[in-house]
Amino acid sequence: MHYQISVTDPASHFLSITYTIPDITADRIEIQLPAWRPGRYEIQNFAKNIQFIEAISISGDKLPLRKITKDRWEVKTNSEKTVQIRYSFFAAIQNAGSSYVDEELWYLNFINFCFYTEGRINDQCSVSLALPESFEIACGLESSGRHQLIAKDFYQLVDSPLLASETLQKSDYVVRGVQFHIWMHGNLKPNWKRIQRDFRRFSREQIATMEEFPEEDYHFLNLILPNAFYHGVEHHNSTMIVLGPDDEGEGLYTDLLGVSSHELFHAWNIIRIRPVELLPYDFTKENYFETCFVAEGCTTYYGDLFLRRAGVFDDEAYVKELQVYMKRHFENNALASQSLAESSFDLWLDGYEKGIPHRKVSVYHKGALVAMILDLYLRKKSNHEVSLDTVMQILWQRYGKPFVGYTVEDYKNVVEEIAGEKLDWYWHDCIFTNEPLETRLNEALAFVGLQMTIFSNGNIQLNVQDDFRAKVQRDKWLETRQILSEEEEEEE
């Protein structure tokens, strides 16, 4: 399968695409445009951005084309062995899951506008980009020539976003043999020495915890905007991050660290350690699953925890981030009627919008809090011999590395195996009902000398207790796993 992509008039924001389908043996084929994208579990109906579409033979003759669903078309091949689909797609949105083109930048998420042919989603895909000669490409896909890319199948293609521009800025680093690339586009002058140091630290900490990295290389693709923005999306061997404003200074840098650490942990948790309901992705409809509290909740918890363990955050900065999760849950969603599992399932309904009052909880914020409750419970019970780290390591070895998918029962069984006991209280109070979380949370926090207070006006404050024994436990919770080589010590 081949995709030729050009932009005739950059100011119009339209992509012109020719999708070539070879080796056809049937008298009719069906082509499908995805209805949603990995990393955001809601129907997005990308077909609404197609302006026109036609099917032609190699010789240029038009072929009968009939729309059969909102994002699926049938083509009568008229005995042609190769068919081309020509269409235009409006690319004018800059968030971490969209596409955008103008005179200075091509930002492409192939999931937005690339068709696949029914029955051939596993075919190899190639892409030719009619870019200005001076443009450089940032993408996790392998290059097959100047401005040409190749993917082993459609799944890899649409999980590999792209930035292309004449003004891309780049820095690289290596951790445990893995090549990391940091790309920046925007009006800023990155402090590459500081960025490399901090990114190397949290990357090393994550790999030390999980004991190996799933990929040979990894790309942080950053689009920095002049306006306020915060969005990141995980991908196969990359992440797409959109942040702003570009003049925010330390606030922008803190956001960059937080979202980058979060998205990197997704390289294990969801990209490979994936709920069985999402394996493989069905791009035509909702893929319902209850375990987004694992996919996003655990990842949110670990994103900032790794920054603290790696020494990028100090205790004060980390406690401040924990308080943010608590404020967002208890000040906004504490009275919600849904359980965390129900809100995971209902992401497809209204998970990314405000919704009606007191209905749903955040799989990110409550998910992070219940992950912390579990982590601290396991640590207290075992004197830090096992923890949520152990759970994630086993999920990786049993389900992620072999890429077989896990169920909610699999997750429960692994957790209880590590705990050495049934944890009915945890599943009931934290995951499958809407029981208030305050008591369980403070029980867990007390082990490490923290206490959350809810004031009469509903405001939240997280305090550090002056308790030497609790501080010892807190230090063990937050201690680094990474052991530096002599070369790495010199880099520091």
Side-chain angles (χ1 to χ4, degrees):
M1 304 296 174
H2 182 71
Y3 306 84
Q4 172 68 43
I5 303 170
S6 61
V7 178
T8 305
D9 177 12
S12 74
H13 304 300
F14 272 102
L15 300 172
S16 296
I17 305 155
T18 300
Y19 170 43
T20 301
I21 309 161
D23 306 321
I24 297 171
T25 59
D27 61 357
R28 63 187 65 204
I29 58 173
E30 293 183 4
I31 57 171
Q32 174 74 47
L33 192 70
W36 63 279
R37 60 175 177 79
R40 192 164 184 100
Y41 309 106
E42 66 176 356
I43 298 297
Q44 293 187 272
N45 295 320
F46 300 123
K48 65 189 176 186
N49 292 316
I50 292 180
Q51 185 192 59
F52 87 93
I53 182 171
E54 64 178 0
I56 61 172
S57 68
I58 288 296
S59 59
D61 296 328
K62 283 196 174 185
L63 300 173
L65 179 70
R66 181 173 68 94
K67 194 171 190 179
I68 54 178
T69 73
K70 59 185 172 61
D71 45 26
R72 193 178 186 93
W73 285 258
E74 178 191 74
V75 183
K76 290 185 179 179
T77 62
N78 291 353
S79 299
E80 295 286 342
K81 302 303 181 186
T82 299
V83 167
Q84 291 186 329
I85 309 298
R86 292 182 181 174
Y87 57 106
S88 63
F89 184 91
F90 191 54
I93 300 174
Q94 292 177 314
N95 64 43
S98 63
S99 294
Y100 178 89
V101 292
D102 63 16
E103 295 85 352
E104 298 180 356
L105 172 70
W106 285 27
Y107 161 41
L108 305 181
N109 268 284
F110 297 109
I111 189 75
N112 298 161
F113 56 81
C114 284
F115 284 95
Y116 68 87
T117 300
E118 184 61 40
R120 299 181 64 178
I121 197 169
N122 294 308
D123 283 16
Q124 187 181 77
C125 300
S126 60
V127 179
S128 296
L129 301 158
L131 286 164
E133 188 61 29
S134 60
F135 274 35
E136 185 176 10
I137 292 175
C139 183
L141 290 176
E142 180 183 347
S143 174
S144 58
R146 181 65 176 168
H147 295 167
Q148 297 182 53
L149 303 169
I150 192 164
K152 66 178 181 179
D153 55 26
F154 187 80
Y155 296 111
Q156 184 183 23
L157 173 68
V158 299
D159 218 3
S160 303
L162 171 151
L163 289 176
S165 176
E166 188 177 40
T167 57
L168 284 178
Q169 302 179 72
K170 182 189 182 186
S171 184
D172 302 323
Y173 64 97
V174 178
V175 172
R176 302 293 193 265
V178 180
Q179 183 76 51
F180 290 88
H181 311 274
I182 309 170
W183 300 86
M184 295 276 185
H185 184 272
N187 182 29
L188 77 167
K189 293 181 179 180
N191 181 342
W192 285 121
K193 184 177 181 180
R194 184 186 187 191
I195 291 171
Q196 274 208 6
R197 180 198 65 195
D198 291 342
F199 273 61
R200 185 183 289 112
R201 285 178 175 178
F202 74 69
S203 301
R204 202 160 46 213
E205 185 65 30
Q206 294 198 21
I207 294 173
T209 298
M210 297 303 290
E211 300 174 349
E212 60 185 322
F213 193 70
E215 304 297 335
E216 294 180 359
D217 66 350
Y218 191 86
H219 298 257
F220 294 93
L221 309 177
N222 296 283
L223 179 58
I224 311 300
L225 302 178
N227 53 293
F229 214 91
Y230 184 96
H231 192 196
V233 180
E234 65 275 12
H235 292 287
H236 169 66
N237 65 335
S238 65
T239 176
M240 184 65 221
I241 294 169
V242 182
L243 295 175
D246 53 21
D247 60 355
E248 191 180 14
E250 280 302 303
L252 179 66
Y253 188 65
T254 299
D255 285 348
L256 175 65
L257 291 172
V259 70
S260 297
S261 181
H262 175 108
E263 299 303 338
L264 182 60
F265 192 62
H266 272 312
W268 292 274
N269 191 24
I270 199 61
I271 298 300
R272 293 292 295 271
I273 305 171
R274 190 178 299 176
V276 70
E277 297 91 342
L278 299 178
L279 199 62
Y281 292 134
D282 183 344
F283 293 121
T284 68
K285 62 182 181 181
E286 297 89 343
N287 295 200
Y288 298 106
F289 64 111
E290 288 185 300
T291 50
C292 205
F293 64 88
V294 181
E296 291 294 355
C298 289
T299 302
T300 300
Y301 171 59
Y302 270 118
D304 291 319
L305 181 61
F306 282 128
L307 291 172
R308 173 61 194 90
R309 286 184 185 172
V312 179
F313 282 175
D314 59 17
D315 282 357
E316 183 180 356
Y318 182 55
V319 168
K320 182 179 179 181
E321 292 303 317
L322 288 181
Q323 182 174 271
V324 169
Y325 306 151
M326 295 172 192
K327 290 178 70 68
R328 289 178 178 172
H329 172 67
F330 287 99
E331 293 180 7
N332 298 321
N333 304 124
L335 301 178
S337 63
Q338 282 193 338
S339 70
L340 193 51
E342 289 171 329
S343 290
S344 291
F345 193 91
D346 267 9
L347 279 171
W348 294 95
L349 180 63
D350 66 344
Y352 299 94
E353 56 188 58
K354 186 175 180 179
I356 65 172
H358 306 317
R359 176 174 178 271
K360 62 188 177 184
V361 294
S362 167
V363 295
Y364 297 86
H365 307 136
K366 186 177 182 180
L369 296 178
V370 303
M372 182 169 61
I373 290 171
L374 179 60
D375 189 23
L376 294 178
Y377 178 81
L378 294 173
R379 288 175 176 276
K380 182 178 181 180
K381 184 177 187 295
S382 69
N383 193 26
H384 300 277
E385 289 296 317
V386 297
S387 65
L388 190 60
D389 294 359
T390 321
V391 173
M392 298 309 301
Q393 291 160 1
I394 290 179
L395 288 175
W396 165 246
Q397 292 295 333
R398 293 183 187 174
Y399 304 103
K401 194 170 182 177
F403 202 40
V404 295
Y406 68 94
T407 66
V408 66
E409 288 302 316
D410 292 328
Y411 181 69
K412 290 174 62 179
N413 290 339
V414 169
V415 168
E416 292 181 346
E417 175 187 333
I418 299 305
E421 63 175 315
K422 291 288 186 181
L423 296 181
D424 292 342
W425 65 268
Y426 179 73
W427 309 119
H428 180 272
D429 293 359
C430 299
I431 307 298
F432 295 110
T433 73
N434 64 344
E435 287 290 313
L437 202 59
E438 179 184 357
T439 299
R440 290 294 185 188
L441 182 58
N442 269 327
E443 287 174 355
L445 291 171
F447 175 57
V448 291
L450 301 176
Q451 182 181 46
M452 182 193 70
T453 302
I454 302 179
F455 296 102
S456 58
N457 63 0
N459 289 344
I460 299 297
Q461 184 171 312
L462 180 61
N463 298 303
V464 179
Q465 304 299 299
D466 185 14
D467 184 320
F468 175 76
R469 288 175 298 179
K471 183 181 184 305
V472 171
Q473 304 300 341
R474 185 163 66 248
D475 289 345
K476 288 184 178 180
W477 169 41
L478 301 176
E479 70 182 359
T480 182
R481 280 182 170 268
Q482 53 188 307
I483 300 174
L484 302 187
S485 65
E486 290 183 9
E487 181 181 344
E488 288 168 334
E489 287 180 346
E490 289 178 4
E491 289 173 347
E492 288 294 297

